[in-house]
Amino acid sequence: MIQIDRLFARFSLSMLMLSIVAGVTASFAYLFPATFNGILPFHQFRPIHASAALFWIITGAACCVSYFSKRRSATFMVIWMVSIVLIFISYFFNRYGGREYWEFPPLLNLPLLIGWLFFMAAFIRKFSEEAPVYTWMWTSGIIFFLLTFLEQNLYHVPWFRASFLREVTVQWKANGSMVGAWNQMINGLSVVLLMVIGNNKGPAISKKAYFLFFLGLFNLMFNWGHHIYNVPNNNWMRGVAYGVSMTEWIILILIIRDFRRTLDHGRKLRHLVVYRFISAAELWVFANLFLALLMSIPAINRHTHGTHITVAHAMGTTIGINTMLLLAAFGQMMDIDQIADRTKRWILFAIRLNNASLAVFWLSLILAGLLKGYLTVDHADAVFSEVMLKVRPFLEAFTASGLGVMIALGIIACIYLKNTGRISYEDD
Ligand code: HEM
Protein backbone atom coordinates (compact mmCIF):
# COMPACT_ATOMS: atom_id res chain seq x y z
CA MET A 1 0.00 0.00 0.00
CA ILE A 2 2.76 2.46 0.96
CA GLN A 3 4.48 1.91 -2.37
CA ILE A 4 1.25 2.86 -4.17
CA ASP A 5 0.75 5.89 -1.90
CA ARG A 6 4.23 7.19 -2.66
CA LEU A 7 3.77 6.42 -6.37
CA PHE A 8 0.52 8.40 -6.27
CA ALA A 9 2.34 11.40 -4.74
CA ARG A 10 5.06 11.15 -7.42
CA PHE A 11 2.41 10.82 -10.11
CA SER A 12 0.65 14.03 -8.93
CA LEU A 13 3.94 15.96 -9.00
CA SER A 14 4.70 14.53 -12.49
CA MET A 15 1.39 16.01 -13.67
CA LEU A 16 2.64 19.40 -12.44
CA MET A 17 5.89 18.91 -14.39
CA LEU A 18 4.02 17.87 -17.54
CA SER A 19 1.68 20.83 -17.25
CA ILE A 20 4.42 23.47 -17.00
CA VAL A 21 6.49 21.96 -19.84
CA ALA A 22 3.42 21.62 -22.11
CA GLY A 23 2.31 25.18 -21.14
CA VAL A 24 5.61 26.72 -22.22
CA THR A 25 5.66 24.62 -25.41
CA ALA A 26 2.07 25.69 -26.18
CA SER A 27 2.93 29.36 -25.77
CA PHE A 28 5.96 29.04 -28.09
CA ALA A 29 3.80 27.16 -30.61
CA TYR A 30 1.28 30.02 -30.44
CA LEU A 31 3.96 32.68 -31.07
CA PHE A 32 5.81 30.79 -33.79
CA PRO A 33 3.24 28.68 -35.63
CA ALA A 34 5.40 28.38 -38.78
CA THR A 35 8.16 26.64 -36.82
CA PHE A 36 5.94 24.55 -34.53
CA ASN A 37 2.92 23.59 -36.67
CA GLY A 38 4.68 20.72 -38.43
CA ILE A 39 5.72 18.94 -35.22
CA LEU A 40 4.14 20.47 -32.12
CA PRO A 41 1.09 22.57 -33.05
CA PHE A 42 -0.65 24.76 -30.46
CA HIS A 43 -4.00 22.96 -30.87
CA GLN A 44 -2.31 19.74 -29.69
CA PHE A 45 -0.40 21.22 -26.79
CA ARG A 46 -3.22 23.30 -25.33
CA PRO A 47 -5.35 20.25 -24.38
CA ILE A 48 -2.28 18.38 -23.10
CA HIS A 49 -1.39 21.38 -20.93
CA ALA A 50 -4.93 22.08 -19.69
CA SER A 51 -5.65 18.38 -18.92
CA ALA A 52 -2.29 17.98 -17.11
CA ALA A 53 -3.01 21.14 -15.08
CA LEU A 54 -6.48 19.86 -14.18
CA PHE A 55 -5.16 16.41 -13.25
CA TRP A 56 -2.35 17.98 -11.19
CA ILE A 57 -4.91 19.82 -9.07
CA ILE A 58 -7.46 16.99 -8.72
CA THR A 59 -4.88 14.21 -8.24
CA GLY A 60 -2.79 16.39 -5.92
CA ALA A 61 -5.86 17.28 -3.83
CA ALA A 62 -6.98 13.61 -3.70
CA CYS A 63 -3.45 12.54 -2.70
CA CYS A 64 -3.20 15.09 0.15
CA VAL A 65 -6.78 14.44 1.35
CA SER A 66 -6.07 10.66 1.39
CA TYR A 67 -2.95 11.30 3.46
CA PHE A 68 -4.34 13.74 6.01
CA SER A 69 -7.67 11.91 6.41
CA LYS A 70 -5.91 8.49 6.60
CA ARG A 71 -8.59 7.15 4.23
CA ARG A 72 -6.71 5.66 1.34
CA SER A 73 -7.90 3.44 -1.48
CA ALA A 74 -5.20 1.66 -3.47
CA THR A 75 -7.82 0.61 -6.05
CA PHE A 76 -8.72 4.25 -6.67
CA MET A 77 -5.09 5.28 -7.01
CA VAL A 78 -4.22 2.51 -9.48
CA ILE A 79 -7.33 2.98 -11.68
CA TRP A 80 -6.91 6.75 -11.63
CA MET A 81 -3.22 6.69 -12.62
CA VAL A 82 -3.71 4.07 -15.37
CA SER A 83 -6.63 6.07 -16.85
CA ILE A 84 -4.58 9.27 -16.94
CA VAL A 85 -1.63 7.51 -18.56
CA LEU A 86 -4.04 6.16 -21.24
CA ILE A 87 -5.41 9.70 -21.71
CA PHE A 88 -1.96 11.11 -22.48
CA ILE A 89 -1.16 8.16 -24.75
CA SER A 90 -4.36 9.02 -26.67
CA TYR A 91 -3.28 12.66 -26.96
CA PHE A 92 0.12 11.51 -28.18
CA PHE A 93 -1.52 9.49 -30.97
CA ASN A 94 -3.76 12.43 -31.87
CA ARG A 95 -6.87 10.70 -30.56
CA TYR A 96 -9.19 13.41 -29.29
CA GLY A 97 -12.90 13.63 -28.50
CA GLY A 98 -14.70 14.72 -25.35
CA ARG A 99 -15.17 18.37 -24.42
CA GLU A 100 -13.01 21.29 -23.27
CA TYR A 101 -10.33 20.37 -20.68
CA TRP A 102 -11.44 16.72 -21.09
CA GLU A 103 -10.58 16.39 -24.76
CA PHE A 104 -9.61 12.71 -24.73
CA PRO A 105 -11.71 9.82 -26.13
CA PRO A 106 -14.87 9.92 -23.93
CA LEU A 107 -14.71 6.18 -23.10
CA LEU A 108 -11.80 6.95 -20.75
CA ASN A 109 -14.20 8.86 -18.52
CA LEU A 110 -15.57 5.50 -17.42
CA PRO A 111 -12.48 4.25 -15.54
CA LEU A 112 -12.03 7.75 -14.06
CA LEU A 113 -15.59 7.53 -12.76
CA ILE A 114 -15.10 4.03 -11.34
CA GLY A 115 -11.83 5.08 -9.69
CA TRP A 116 -13.46 8.11 -8.05
CA LEU A 117 -16.29 5.92 -6.70
CA PHE A 118 -13.67 3.78 -4.92
CA PHE A 119 -12.11 6.94 -3.42
CA MET A 120 -15.53 8.16 -2.31
CA ALA A 121 -16.45 4.81 -0.79
CA ALA A 122 -13.19 4.67 1.21
CA PHE A 123 -13.70 8.23 2.38
CA ILE A 124 -17.36 8.22 3.31
CA ARG A 125 -17.31 4.84 5.06
CA LYS A 126 -15.69 6.38 8.13
CA PHE A 127 -17.62 9.66 8.11
CA SER A 128 -19.17 10.76 11.39
CA GLU A 129 -21.39 13.75 12.06
CA GLU A 130 -19.00 15.06 14.71
CA ALA A 131 -16.27 15.33 12.11
CA PRO A 132 -14.21 18.56 12.17
CA VAL A 133 -14.88 21.22 9.58
CA TYR A 134 -12.13 20.06 7.20
CA THR A 135 -13.71 16.59 6.90
CA TRP A 136 -16.98 18.24 5.91
CA MET A 137 -15.09 20.30 3.32
CA TRP A 138 -13.38 17.21 1.89
CA THR A 139 -16.60 15.19 1.86
CA SER A 140 -18.60 17.86 0.06
CA GLY A 141 -15.72 18.43 -2.40
CA ILE A 142 -15.47 14.71 -3.21
CA ILE A 143 -19.24 14.27 -3.65
CA PHE A 144 -19.59 17.39 -5.76
CA PHE A 145 -16.66 16.38 -7.94
CA LEU A 146 -18.64 13.24 -8.77
CA LEU A 147 -21.82 15.22 -9.48
CA THR A 148 -20.12 17.81 -11.68
CA PHE A 149 -18.13 15.10 -13.50
CA LEU A 150 -21.41 13.34 -14.32
CA GLU A 151 -22.95 16.64 -15.35
CA GLN A 152 -19.95 17.37 -17.57
CA ASN A 153 -20.68 14.06 -19.33
CA LEU A 154 -24.36 14.75 -19.93
CA TYR A 155 -23.56 15.50 -23.57
CA HIS A 156 -23.66 11.73 -24.15
CA VAL A 157 -27.44 11.98 -23.75
CA PRO A 158 -28.78 13.02 -27.21
CA TRP A 159 -31.27 15.52 -25.70
CA PHE A 160 -28.39 17.69 -24.45
CA ARG A 161 -26.69 17.63 -27.85
CA ALA A 162 -29.90 18.50 -29.68
CA SER A 163 -29.41 22.19 -28.87
CA PHE A 164 -25.96 23.78 -29.05
CA LEU A 165 -26.94 26.42 -26.51
CA ARG A 166 -28.17 23.78 -24.07
CA GLU A 167 -24.99 21.75 -24.40
CA VAL A 168 -22.66 24.73 -24.00
CA THR A 169 -24.61 26.01 -20.99
CA VAL A 170 -24.33 22.64 -19.22
CA GLN A 171 -20.61 22.32 -20.10
CA TRP A 172 -19.70 25.77 -18.77
CA LYS A 173 -21.88 25.30 -15.73
CA ALA A 174 -20.35 21.89 -14.92
CA ASN A 175 -16.76 23.13 -15.34
CA GLY A 176 -17.52 26.16 -13.15
CA SER A 177 -18.98 24.05 -10.35
CA MET A 178 -16.12 21.57 -10.59
CA VAL A 179 -13.70 24.36 -9.65
CA GLY A 180 -15.86 24.89 -6.55
CA ALA A 181 -15.56 21.15 -5.75
CA TRP A 182 -11.75 21.07 -5.79
CA ASN A 183 -11.62 24.42 -3.98
CA GLN A 184 -13.61 22.80 -1.17
CA MET A 185 -11.08 19.94 -0.97
CA ILE A 186 -8.16 22.40 -0.98
CA ASN A 187 -9.84 24.70 1.58
CA GLY A 188 -10.06 21.69 3.91
CA LEU A 189 -6.33 21.07 3.41
CA SER A 190 -5.59 24.74 4.23
CA VAL A 191 -7.51 24.44 7.50
CA VAL A 192 -5.45 21.34 8.48
CA LEU A 193 -2.20 23.13 7.64
CA LEU A 194 -3.13 26.20 9.66
CA MET A 195 -4.09 23.96 12.56
CA VAL A 196 -0.87 21.90 12.48
CA ILE A 197 1.53 24.80 11.94
CA GLY A 198 -0.17 27.05 14.48
CA ASN A 199 -0.58 24.12 16.94
CA ASN A 200 -4.08 25.47 17.48
CA LYS A 201 -7.39 23.74 16.82
CA GLY A 202 -9.08 27.14 16.32
CA PRO A 203 -9.14 27.13 12.50
CA ALA A 204 -10.93 23.72 12.53
CA ILE A 205 -13.61 24.56 15.07
CA SER A 206 -14.04 28.32 14.81
CA LYS A 207 -17.31 29.82 13.63
CA LYS A 208 -15.45 31.40 10.72
CA ALA A 209 -14.27 27.98 9.50
CA TYR A 210 -17.84 26.62 9.54
CA PHE A 211 -18.99 29.77 7.81
CA LEU A 212 -16.33 29.17 5.13
CA PHE A 213 -17.56 25.58 4.73
CA PHE A 214 -21.15 26.65 4.14
CA LEU A 215 -20.09 29.50 1.92
CA GLY A 216 -17.85 27.14 -0.10
CA LEU A 217 -20.78 24.74 -0.43
CA PHE A 218 -23.07 27.56 -1.47
CA ASN A 219 -20.38 28.66 -3.92
CA LEU A 220 -19.95 25.35 -5.63
CA MET A 221 -23.73 25.08 -5.95
CA PHE A 222 -24.41 28.59 -7.25
CA ASN A 223 -21.34 30.55 -8.36
CA TRP A 224 -21.23 28.91 -11.82
CA GLY A 225 -23.44 31.80 -12.93
CA HIS A 226 -20.34 33.74 -13.94
CA HIS A 227 -19.27 30.89 -16.23
CA ILE A 228 -22.42 31.24 -18.29
CA TYR A 229 -22.31 35.00 -18.51
CA ASN A 230 -22.50 34.91 -22.30
CA VAL A 231 -25.53 32.67 -22.70
CA PRO A 232 -29.03 34.17 -22.52
CA ASN A 233 -29.77 34.61 -18.84
CA ASN A 234 -31.35 36.87 -16.27
CA ASN A 235 -29.12 39.72 -15.12
CA TRP A 236 -29.98 39.28 -11.45
CA MET A 237 -28.61 35.70 -11.61
CA ARG A 238 -25.27 37.02 -12.89
CA GLY A 239 -25.17 39.57 -10.08
CA VAL A 240 -25.91 36.97 -7.39
CA ALA A 241 -23.31 34.52 -8.78
CA TYR A 242 -20.56 37.13 -8.72
CA GLY A 243 -21.47 38.30 -5.25
CA VAL A 244 -21.26 34.72 -3.98
CA SER A 245 -17.88 33.91 -5.54
CA MET A 246 -16.26 37.11 -4.22
CA THR A 247 -17.24 36.31 -0.62
CA GLU A 248 -15.61 32.87 -0.53
CA TRP A 249 -12.19 34.38 -1.14
CA ILE A 250 -12.72 37.12 1.42
CA ILE A 251 -13.43 34.52 4.11
CA LEU A 252 -10.28 32.57 3.12
CA ILE A 253 -8.29 35.79 3.52
CA LEU A 254 -9.83 36.35 6.98
CA ILE A 255 -8.92 32.83 8.16
CA ILE A 256 -5.32 33.09 6.93
CA ARG A 257 -4.96 36.60 8.42
CA ASP A 258 -6.23 35.35 11.81
CA PHE A 259 -3.72 32.54 11.68
CA ARG A 260 -0.83 34.87 10.82
CA ARG A 261 -1.76 37.20 13.66
CA THR A 262 -1.77 34.40 16.22
CA LEU A 263 1.25 32.43 14.93
CA ASP A 264 4.34 32.90 17.10
CA HIS A 265 7.71 33.63 15.50
CA GLY A 266 9.29 30.33 16.58
CA ARG A 267 6.61 28.19 14.92
CA LYS A 268 6.76 30.33 11.81
CA LEU A 269 10.51 29.69 11.48
CA ARG A 270 10.04 25.98 12.15
CA HIS A 271 7.57 25.76 9.25
CA LEU A 272 9.04 28.49 7.05
CA VAL A 273 8.63 26.74 3.65
CA VAL A 274 5.00 25.75 4.23
CA TYR A 275 4.32 29.20 5.70
CA ARG A 276 5.78 30.91 2.62
CA PHE A 277 3.57 28.83 0.29
CA ILE A 278 0.49 29.83 2.30
CA SER A 279 1.55 33.50 2.24
CA ALA A 280 2.04 33.31 -1.55
CA ALA A 281 -1.48 31.87 -1.90
CA GLU A 282 -2.84 34.71 0.23
CA LEU A 283 -1.16 37.27 -2.02
CA TRP A 284 -2.73 35.67 -5.12
CA VAL A 285 -6.14 35.51 -3.48
CA PHE A 286 -5.95 39.31 -3.14
CA ALA A 287 -4.72 39.84 -6.70
CA ASN A 288 -7.34 37.55 -8.26
CA LEU A 289 -10.10 38.99 -6.13
CA PHE A 290 -9.20 42.44 -7.46
CA LEU A 291 -9.22 41.13 -11.06
CA ALA A 292 -12.51 39.28 -10.57
CA LEU A 293 -14.12 42.41 -9.11
CA LEU A 294 -13.05 44.38 -12.19
CA MET A 295 -14.16 41.62 -14.59
CA SER A 296 -17.58 41.62 -13.00
CA ILE A 297 -18.29 45.25 -13.92
CA PRO A 298 -20.51 44.87 -17.03
CA ALA A 299 -18.83 47.75 -18.95
CA ILE A 300 -15.43 46.09 -18.45
CA ASN A 301 -16.73 42.55 -18.98
CA ARG A 302 -18.05 43.60 -22.38
CA HIS A 303 -14.43 44.20 -23.45
CA THR A 304 -12.74 41.39 -21.59
CA HIS A 305 -14.94 38.31 -22.03
CA GLY A 306 -13.17 35.51 -23.87
CA THR A 307 -9.91 37.49 -24.13
CA HIS A 308 -6.60 36.70 -22.42
CA ILE A 309 -8.05 38.21 -19.26
CA THR A 310 -10.11 35.05 -18.83
CA VAL A 311 -6.88 33.04 -19.18
CA ALA A 312 -5.20 35.35 -16.60
CA HIS A 313 -8.08 34.66 -14.22
CA ALA A 314 -7.89 30.86 -14.84
CA MET A 315 -4.10 30.57 -14.45
CA GLY A 316 -3.83 33.25 -11.76
CA THR A 317 -6.10 31.17 -9.55
CA THR A 318 -4.91 27.66 -10.48
CA ILE A 319 -1.20 28.52 -10.18
CA GLY A 320 -1.32 31.29 -7.57
CA ILE A 321 -3.87 29.80 -5.20
CA ASN A 322 -4.52 26.08 -5.88
CA THR A 323 -0.92 25.15 -6.74
CA MET A 324 0.60 27.14 -3.84
CA LEU A 325 -1.76 25.55 -1.29
CA LEU A 326 -1.17 22.06 -2.71
CA LEU A 327 2.60 22.56 -2.58
CA ALA A 328 2.18 23.68 1.04
CA ALA A 329 0.23 20.48 1.79
CA PHE A 330 2.78 18.25 0.00
CA GLY A 331 5.55 20.08 1.88
CA GLN A 332 3.86 19.35 5.20
CA MET A 333 3.39 15.68 4.22
CA MET A 334 7.12 15.25 3.58
CA ASP A 335 8.12 17.47 6.51
CA ILE A 336 10.02 19.61 4.04
CA ASP A 337 11.13 22.10 6.69
CA GLN A 338 13.45 19.46 8.14
CA ILE A 339 15.49 18.91 4.96
CA ALA A 340 19.02 20.30 4.48
CA ASP A 341 19.23 24.11 4.74
CA ARG A 342 20.78 24.42 1.30
CA THR A 343 17.84 22.63 -0.39
CA LYS A 344 15.40 24.66 1.67
CA ARG A 345 17.03 27.86 0.44
CA TRP A 346 16.44 26.66 -3.13
CA ILE A 347 12.73 26.20 -2.44
CA LEU A 348 12.46 29.64 -0.82
CA PHE A 349 14.24 31.15 -3.83
CA ALA A 350 11.87 29.28 -6.20
CA ILE A 351 8.81 30.63 -4.34
CA ARG A 352 10.10 34.19 -4.81
CA LEU A 353 10.95 33.52 -8.46
CA ASN A 354 7.49 32.07 -9.03
CA ASN A 355 5.78 35.07 -7.43
CA ALA A 356 7.79 37.54 -9.51
CA SER A 357 7.40 35.59 -12.79
CA LEU A 358 3.71 34.94 -12.18
CA ALA A 359 3.17 38.67 -11.60
CA VAL A 360 4.63 39.52 -15.05
CA PHE A 361 2.83 36.51 -16.61
CA TRP A 362 -0.52 37.55 -15.14
CA LEU A 363 -0.14 41.29 -15.92
CA SER A 364 0.94 40.54 -19.54
CA LEU A 365 -2.19 38.45 -20.07
CA ILE A 366 -4.37 41.19 -18.54
CA LEU A 367 -2.80 43.91 -20.70
CA ALA A 368 -3.05 41.69 -23.83
CA GLY A 369 -6.72 41.08 -23.04
CA LEU A 370 -7.49 44.76 -22.39
CA LEU A 371 -5.81 45.85 -25.63
CA LYS A 372 -7.48 43.11 -27.68
CA GLY A 373 -10.87 43.85 -26.11
CA TYR A 374 -10.50 47.59 -26.74
CA LEU A 375 -9.37 47.15 -30.36
CA THR A 376 -12.03 44.61 -31.28
CA VAL A 377 -15.03 46.08 -29.42
CA ASP A 378 -14.39 49.84 -29.84
CA HIS A 379 -12.89 49.54 -33.33
CA ALA A 380 -15.11 46.92 -34.87
CA ASP A 381 -13.62 47.60 -38.33
CA ALA A 382 -10.05 46.70 -37.17
CA VAL A 383 -8.41 43.82 -39.08
CA PHE A 384 -7.84 40.84 -36.75
CA SER A 385 -4.23 40.24 -37.88
CA GLU A 386 -3.37 43.89 -37.13
CA VAL A 387 -4.98 43.62 -33.70
CA MET A 388 -2.91 40.54 -32.94
CA LEU A 389 0.25 42.29 -34.13
CA LYS A 390 -0.34 45.02 -31.53
CA VAL A 391 -1.04 42.43 -28.82
CA ARG A 392 2.06 40.36 -29.67
CA PRO A 393 4.63 42.15 -27.41
CA PHE A 394 2.45 41.30 -24.39
CA LEU A 395 2.26 37.66 -25.46
CA GLU A 396 6.04 37.62 -25.80
CA ALA A 397 6.35 38.94 -22.25
CA PHE A 398 3.85 36.25 -21.18
CA THR A 399 5.97 33.48 -22.77
CA ALA A 400 9.23 34.82 -21.29
CA SER A 401 7.73 35.04 -17.80
CA GLY A 402 6.10 31.61 -18.35
CA LEU A 403 9.65 30.27 -18.60
CA GLY A 404 10.31 31.79 -15.17
CA VAL A 405 7.19 30.08 -13.76
CA MET A 406 8.30 26.80 -15.32
CA ILE A 407 11.81 27.06 -13.83
CA ALA A 408 10.49 28.02 -10.38
CA LEU A 409 7.80 25.32 -10.18
CA GLY A 410 10.20 22.86 -11.85
CA ILE A 411 12.79 23.39 -9.07
CA ILE A 412 10.14 22.80 -6.40
CA ALA A 413 8.65 19.76 -8.15
CA CYS A 414 12.14 18.19 -8.62
CA ILE A 415 13.03 18.69 -4.94
CA TYR A 416 9.66 17.29 -3.87
CA LEU A 417 9.99 14.31 -6.23
CA LYS A 418 13.35 13.48 -4.63
CA ASN A 419 11.80 13.70 -1.17
CA THR A 420 8.57 11.68 -1.52
CA GLY A 421 10.33 8.93 0.46
CA ARG A 422 10.03 11.24 3.49
CA ILE A 423 6.23 10.91 3.52
CA SER A 424 5.49 8.59 6.40
CA TYR A 425 2.26 6.61 6.43
CA GLU A 426 0.67 5.06 9.49
CA ASP A 427 1.52 1.52 8.30
CA ASP A 428 5.20 2.50 7.74
C1 HEM B 1 0.89 24.95 -12.39
C2 HEM B 1 1.03 25.53 -13.56
C3 HEM B 1 -0.10 25.86 -14.51
C4 HEM B 1 -1.46 25.66 -14.38
C5 HEM B 1 -2.20 25.03 -13.20
C6 HEM B 1 -2.08 26.16 -15.60
C7 HEM B 1 -3.45 26.13 -15.88
C8 HEM B 1 -4.02 26.49 -17.10
C9 HEM B 1 -5.44 26.45 -17.40
C10 HEM B 1 -6.53 26.01 -16.41
C11 HEM B 1 -5.61 26.87 -18.68
C12 HEM B 1 -6.94 27.03 -19.42
C13 HEM B 1 -7.32 28.49 -19.38
C14 HEM B 1 -8.65 28.82 -20.03
O1 HEM B 1 -9.30 27.98 -20.61
O2 HEM B 1 -9.05 30.00 -19.93
C15 HEM B 1 -4.30 27.19 -19.21
C16 HEM B 1 -4.07 27.65 -20.50
C17 HEM B 1 -2.81 27.98 -20.98
N1 HEM B 1 -1.61 28.00 -20.28
FE1 HEM B 1 -1.35 27.38 -18.36
N2 HEM B 1 -1.08 26.68 -16.42
C18 HEM B 1 0.13 26.51 -15.78
C19 HEM B 1 1.37 26.93 -16.24
C20 HEM B 1 1.61 27.50 -17.48
C21 HEM B 1 2.91 27.95 -17.94
C22 HEM B 1 4.22 27.88 -17.15
C23 HEM B 1 2.74 28.42 -19.21
C24 HEM B 1 3.82 29.02 -20.06
C25 HEM B 1 3.72 30.10 -20.76
C26 HEM B 1 1.33 28.27 -19.56
C27 HEM B 1 0.74 28.58 -20.79
C28 HEM B 1 -0.59 28.41 -21.13
C29 HEM B 1 -1.16 28.68 -22.45
C30 HEM B 1 -0.38 29.16 -23.68
C31 HEM B 1 -2.54 28.40 -22.37
C32 HEM B 1 -3.59 28.52 -23.48
C33 HEM B 1 -4.18 29.92 -23.47
C34 HEM B 1 -5.20 30.16 -24.56
O3 HEM B 1 -5.82 29.21 -25.04
O4 HEM B 1 -5.38 31.33 -24.94
N3 HEM B 1 0.68 27.71 -18.47
N4 HEM B 1 -3.35 26.96 -18.22
Side-chain angles (χ1 to χ4, degrees):
M1 178 78 199
I2 297 160
Q3 295 308 325
I4 296 175
D5 283 316
R6 294 215 170 103
L7 182 66
F8 198 55
R10 280 185 207 116
F11 185 82
S12 313
L13 292 163
S14 312
M15 283 294 113
L16 172 61
M17 292 283 259
L18 177 62
S19 170
I20 50 181
V21 173
V24 169
T25 319
S27 63
F28 272 103
Y30 185 80
L31 281 182
F32 307 104
T35 319
F36 279 81
N37 270 359
I39 30 165
L40 305 166
F42 175 74
H43 67 261
Q44 230 167 312
F45 265 90
R46 191 190 190 279
I48 294 179
H49 169 60
S51 292
L54 204 94
F55 284 131
W56 146 239
I57 293 171
I58 302 168
T59 314
C63 178
C64 298
V65 168
S66 300
Y67 174 84
F68 286 107
S69 65
K70 301 189 175 77
R71 295 163 202 195
R72 292 133 61 201
S73 160
T75 321
F76 154 63
M77 293 179 193
V78 171
I79 298 180
W80 191 257
M81 287 188 286
V82 171
S83 314
I84 294 176
V85 169
L86 290 176
I87 284 168
F88 286 103
I89 292 177
S90 308
Y91 282 153
F92 186 78
F93 286 107
N94 256 323
R95 300 271 304 275
Y96 291 88
R99 293 296 182 266
E100 203 183 0
Y101 308 118
W102 307 82
E103 294 181 44
F104 43 84
L107 206 60
L108 288 170
N109 281 313
L110 210 58
L112 286 178
L113 172 67
I114 295 169
W116 197 263
L117 287 175
F118 273 102
F119 179 38
M120 220 168 100
F123 194 86
I124 290 176
R125 212 175 32 223
K126 292 192 201 160
F127 188 79
S128 92
E129 276 179 29
E130 280 107 58
V133 75
Y134 48 84
T135 310
W136 284 91
M137 288 172 171
W138 291 334
T139 311
S140 55
I142 292 169
I143 294 176
F144 272 88
F145 178 81
L146 175 75
L147 297 179
T148 51
F149 181 82
L150 290 174
E151 191 174 35
Q152 203 269 338
N153 274 282
L154 281 178
Y155 69 91
H156 297 297
V157 179
W159 185 78
F160 286 96
R161 283 201 311 270
S163 147
F164 176 70
L165 200 58
R166 188 182 302 146
E167 194 194 312
V168 155
T169 308
V170 174
Q171 278 300 308
W172 290 353
K173 190 245 163 215
N175 282 329
S177 307
M178 193 178 278
V179 172
W182 77 56
N183 276 346
Q184 234 0 24
M185 289 168 69
I186 296 176
N187 282 348
L189 289 170
S190 318
V191 170
V192 170
L193 290 179
L194 303 186
M195 207 178 75
V196 174
I197 297 177
N199 193 25
N200 167 16
K201 284 208 168 106
I205 50 173
S206 70
K207 282 197 179 120
K208 242 182 228 167
Y210 278 96
F211 185 50
L212 176 66
F213 162 68
F214 283 113
L215 209 54
L217 192 63
F218 188 51
N219 248 275
L220 69 88
M221 287 175 176
F222 301 111
N223 85 345
W224 44 267
H226 72 252
H227 282 247
I228 55 163
Y229 217 66
N230 269 18
V231 296
N233 207 345
N234 279 331
N235 257 340
W236 68 264
M237 286 174 81
R238 297 182 178 130
V240 169
Y242 262 110
V244 173
S245 29
M246 300 302 118
T247 49
E248 187 191 18
W249 288 355
I250 290 169
I251 297 288
L252 195 57
I253 289 174
L254 289 180
I255 289 191
I256 298 180
R257 293 241 123 171
D258 265 4
F259 152 78
R260 274 151 62 99
R261 223 189 34 243
T262 51
L263 186 67
D264 69 65
H265 194 62
R267 291 201 73 82
K268 175 180 152 185
L269 287 183
R270 218 170 307 141
H271 297 276
L272 194 61
V273 170
V274 178
Y275 177 84
R276 285 278 148 80
F277 277 122
I278 296 175
S279 302
E282 187 192 15
L283 174 85
W284 288 104
V285 172
F286 273 117
N288 284 293
L289 185 61
F290 178 66
L291 178 63
L293 284 170
L294 287 184
M295 281 166 73
S296 65
I297 299 169
I300 297 182
N301 190 279
R302 184 164 165 262
H303 290 81
T304 64
H305 193 93
T307 66
H308 293 96
I309 295 199
T310 314
V311 185
H313 167 67
M315 282 203 271
T317 48
T318 49
I319 305 176
I321 307 171
N322 296 149
T323 300
M324 290 302 107
L325 290 175
L326 282 176
L327 290 174
F330 271 103
Q332 184 62 33
M333 273 160 63
M334 50 187 82
D335 208 0
I336 207 72
D337 276 286
Q338 301 310 318
I339 58 170
D341 276 352
R342 202 163 151 254
T343 321
K344 238 165 65 178
R345 275 200 295 275
W346 270 105
I347 302 183
L348 294 173
F349 160 75
I351 297 175
R352 279 199 299 275
L353 177 64
N354 183 58
N355 276 341
S357 311
L358 188 56
V360 180
F361 183 89
W362 186 73
L363 283 173
S364 316
L365 283 172
I366 294 175
L367 292 174
L370 280 178
L371 186 62
K372 191 174 162 199
Y374 168 71
L375 292 176
T376 46
V377 176
D378 288 353
H379 299 268
D381 52 340
V383 180
F384 186 71
S385 58
E386 282 172 13
V387 171
M388 288 319 288
L389 214 61
K390 293 204 170 99
V391 170
R392 192 176 166 96
F394 297 102
L395 297 183
E396 286 170 352
F398 158 72
T399 303
S401 50
L403 270 172
V405 173
M406 183 187 85
I407 293 169
L409 294 182
I411 292 174
I412 300 168
C414 284
I415 295 177
Y416 275 21
L417 276 166
K418 267 188 77 180
N419 283 286
T420 44
R422 295 175 56 86
I423 306 177
S424 64
Y425 293 92
E426 55 189 1
D427 34 346
D428 254 341

